[in-house]
Amino acid sequence: QVQLVESGGGLVQPGGSLRISCAASGRPFNNFAMGWFRQAPGKERDFVATISKSGEITEYADSVKGRFTISRDNAKNTVYLQMNSLKPEDTGVYFCAANPGGWVTRSFAPYTIWGRGTQVTVSS
């Protein structure tokens, strides 16, 4: 029922910033916890950040803490990931995901609705 579409990826230089977005269709959006995951070439998909239904609670992977900020605008059915001080190791496909159960979690399995991903490349 709910579909997620990521946008905003691209090529950015090390130290630069980028904001990617995830637009969701469907009215139940405000009942879902939302998360961002990423997958580097040849590696397993990893947790990046998650945000609660109301946006009051956020959690981040240690590798991005202090550099990335997740936010959501429920009126626009959109979740964002602001990425600052980007490093080459941040390169990968970034996936938006929804947890219909509504709770914040770092685990992969509870996120049952996924976007197709947007490529972020950090390189000179």
Side-chain angles (χ1 to χ4, degrees):
Q1 296 177 3
V2 175
Q3 293 183 327
L4 307 176
V5 180
E6 302 94 336
S7 63
L11 176 65
V12 62
Q13 295 182 353
S17 297
L18 198 66
R19 189 181 78 160
I20 55 176
S21 302
C22 174
S25 64
R27 195 172 297 177
F29 175 76
N30 63 350
N31 292 326
F32 300 162
M34 301 295 296
W36 286 99
F37 297 77
R38 68 186 180 189
Q39 188 167 17
K43 295 185 178 181
E44 195 172 270
R45 193 171 300 183
D46 291 326
F47 166 78
V48 175
T50 184
I51 188 167
S52 62
K53 294 181 291 183
S54 64
E56 295 178 344
I57 303 171
T58 58
E59 294 185 7
Y60 299 90
D62 289 341
S63 59
V64 306
K65 193 173 299 183
R67 299 187 297 119
F68 290 11
T69 302
I70 187 172
S71 62
R72 67 191 297 163
D73 187 341
N74 287 344
K76 296 182 178 180
N77 288 348
T78 303
V79 63
Y80 306 95
L81 186 67
Q82 177 67 47
M83 301 179 288
N84 298 326
S85 301
L86 283 162
K87 305 174 181 179
E89 52 262 43
D90 294 319
T91 294
V93 178
Y94 283 70
F95 297 90
C96 176
N99 174 12
W103 61 87
V104 170
T105 178
R106 297 167 177 258
S107 301
F108 184 92
Y111 296 89
T112 57
I113 304 171
W114 292 81
R116 298 180 67 180
T118 186
Q119 177 70 42
V120 174
T121 303
V122 184
S123 177
S124 300

